[in-house]
């Protein structure tokens, strides 16, 4: 009977989570829709500006997928170039780490119901007062934020129930095969939920509850980072060559960052522990994973940025359309 209760709580928590992220993203996109378009189109003239705009908009709308799909749309329409979009790709990957910080700094350290439920109430009042317009969109986003933290609380309780029900030693990552297994779990979770934010928050909650070990959770976070590329790949189907190149850039960047993270995993763990000692901070599991996710994404940007032109030149030679092939006739069928 206990297993059914725990499974029901897990499904309910995950459902709340996905609903919350969808409402947050939709509300913030509606409230900041023109700003999103303006920022991405006007503030991406250089790779550095693109990184900044990609980071800011992903942090605001809490969805790297939304920012990537918007970028692909702009590239497809010819509003921004493929090279401009590369900076947005890098920035969006750093911006998506904000979800982990929300969970680590707020989700486990405050009385969830004391502030989450009022947020839901205020958001719904705003929706009733103004059914349309920016106030309604902001209300929808506020309801989403409230449900986000309620979902965390439900999942945390469910995972703690699982810890008492099952032997958690089987959920630790040992050796290459163990890390690879949890890496794949992270990818599959993100593809199924179509949200790396949901997968990472789910992973952090499971790790903080003692359901999975720190190494296993780290591999799942890396997997979620790779799995989020599925949205851009799907969105690029049937799009222009330039949009396909941008989607490919995200896949290459995320795979590269994942490879680097695995190669220097012990160094990253040592660095995070050292940061805690230097700043005299108590780094719990949730904060550790949020730091880990941020550091390896920022490191990925630092490593790829000097080679941005080479990556662009490499992509320019891929997915060539009929018109782009110089040997093909342009005005004769």
């Amino acid at each position: 009977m206990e297993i059914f209760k725990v499974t029901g709580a897990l499904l309910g928590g995950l459902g709340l989570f996905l609903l919350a992220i969808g409402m947050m993203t939709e509300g913030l996109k509606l409230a900041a829709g023109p700003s999103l378009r303006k920022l991405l189109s006007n503030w991406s003239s250089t790779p550095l500006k693109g990184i900044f705009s990609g980071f800011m908009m992903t942090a605001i709308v809490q969805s790297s997928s939304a920012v990537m799909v918007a970028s692909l749309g702009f590239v497809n329409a010819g509003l921004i170039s493929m090279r401009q979009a590369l900076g947005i790709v890098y920035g969006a990957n750093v911006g998506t780490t904000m979800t982990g910080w929300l969970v680590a700094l707020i989700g486990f350290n405050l009385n969830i119901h004391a502030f989450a439920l009022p947020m839901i109430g205020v958001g719904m009042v705003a929706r009733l007062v103004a059914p349309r317009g920016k106030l309604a969109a902001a209300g929808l986003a506020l309801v989403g934020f409230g449900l986000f933290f309620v979902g965390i609380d439900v999942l945390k309780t469910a995972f703690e129930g699982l810890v008492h029900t099952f032997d958690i030693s089987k959920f630790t990552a040992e050796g290459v095969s163990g890390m690879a297994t949890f890496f794949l779990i992270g990818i599959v979770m993100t593809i199924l939920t179509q949200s790396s934010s949901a997968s990472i928050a789910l992973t952090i909650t499971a790790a903080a509850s003692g359901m999975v070990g720190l190494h296993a959770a780290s591999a799942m976070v890396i997997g979620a980072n790779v799995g989020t590329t599925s949205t851009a790949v799907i969105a690029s189907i049937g799009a222009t060559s330039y949009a396909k190149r941008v989607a490919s850039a995200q896949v290459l960047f995320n795979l590269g960052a994942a490879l680097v993270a695995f190669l220097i995993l012990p160094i990253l763990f040592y660095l995070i522990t050292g940061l805690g000692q230097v700043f005299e901070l108590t780094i719990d599991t949730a904060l550790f994973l949020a730091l880990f996710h941020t550091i390896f994404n920022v490191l990925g940007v630092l490593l790829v940025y000097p080679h941005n032109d080479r990556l662009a030149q490499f992509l320019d030679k891929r997915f060539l359309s009929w018109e782009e092939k110089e040997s093909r006739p342009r005005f004769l069928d």
Side-chain angles (χ1 to χ4, degrees):
M1 194 66 182
E2 185 68 25
I3 185 62
F4 290 111
K5 286 177 62 179
V6 172
T7 304
L10 274 174
L11 290 173
L14 182 58
L16 273 173
F17 225 50
L18 294 174
L19 176 64
I21 287 175
M23 293 174 75
M24 284 164 56
T25 301
E26 189 62 29
L28 290 168
K29 275 168 60 182
L30 289 172
S35 301
L36 173 65
R37 289 191 290 271
K38 185 176 180 181
L39 192 63
L40 289 179
S41 59
N42 296 344
W43 284 81
S44 57
S45 56
T46 66
L48 274 177
K49 285 184 178 180
I51 291 170
F52 176 75
S53 61
F55 168 78
M56 287 298 296
M57 292 316 300
T58 305
I60 290 170
V61 303
Q62 282 296 294
S63 173
S64 60
S65 298
V67 174
M68 279 303 305
V69 170
S71 301
L72 287 174
F74 293 143
V75 172
N76 212 34
L79 296 176
I80 60 175
S81 68
M82 184 269 292
R83 289 170 184 259
Q84 285 177 282
L86 290 182
I88 297 172
V89 169
Y90 308 150
N93 275 277
V94 179
T96 198
T97 64
M98 292 300 105
T99 303
W101 287 104
L102 274 177
V103 176
L105 296 178
I106 300 176
F108 296 123
N109 299 318
L110 295 176
N111 184 336
I112 297 292
H113 298 286
F115 75 97
L117 295 181
M119 286 172 73
I120 296 171
V122 171
M124 285 310 300
V125 168
R127 293 275 292 172
L128 291 172
V129 170
R132 292 183 178 84
K134 288 193 174 183
L135 183 60
L140 182 65
L142 200 59
V143 173
F145 271 112
L147 288 175
F148 178 85
F149 294 114
V150 172
I152 288 173
D153 194 45
V154 173
L155 283 172
K156 184 172 180 290
T157 304
F159 280 126
E160 286 173 349
L162 273 180
V163 169
H164 294 300
T165 306
F166 294 106
D167 177 17
I168 63 171
S169 61
K170 65 181 72 174
F171 296 103
T172 57
E174 295 181 359
V176 176
S177 61
M179 294 295 283
T181 300
F182 283 97
F183 172 68
L184 290 173
I185 290 172
I187 292 176
V188 171
M189 279 170 53
T190 306
I191 292 173
L192 291 177
T193 60
Q194 281 297 291
S195 172
S196 62
S197 297
S199 296
I200 288 165
L202 192 65
T203 301
I204 291 175
T205 308
S209 304
M211 183 65 192
V212 294
L214 197 56
H215 284 80
S218 299
M220 289 170 70
V221 167
I222 297 171
N225 220 52
V226 173
T228 194
T229 61
S230 63
T231 305
V233 170
I234 292 169
S236 68
I237 296 173
T240 62
S241 301
Y242 301 105
K244 289 177 181 177
R245 288 167 193 156
V246 174
S248 300
Q250 192 196 21
V251 173
L252 291 172
F253 174 77
N254 286 31
L255 284 173
L259 180 61
V260 170
F262 274 123
L263 288 175
I264 62 169
L265 194 63
I267 298 174
L268 289 176
F269 273 46
Y270 179 78
L271 176 63
I272 295 170
T273 305
L275 285 173
Q277 293 173 350
V278 169
F279 293 102
E280 297 180 353
L281 296 172
T282 302
I283 300 182
D284 57 17
T285 302
L287 188 57
F288 189 99
L289 289 171
L291 266 170
F292 172 76
H293 189 208
T294 301
I295 289 173
F296 88 74
N297 270 293
V298 171
L299 185 60
V301 173
L302 293 176
L303 289 174
V304 78
Y305 183 76
H307 307 288
N308 190 58
D309 287 338
R310 291 181 183 176
L311 177 61
Q313 289 170 8
F314 170 78
L315 292 171
D316 278 336
K317 297 174 183 177
R318 302 295 179 274
F319 306 107
L320 292 173
S321 63
W322 180 277
E323 294 82 2
E324 290 176 293
K325 295 180 180 178
E326 295 180 0
S327 62
R328 302 290 188 187
R330 295 191 179 187
F331 305 108
L332 297 174
D333 59 25

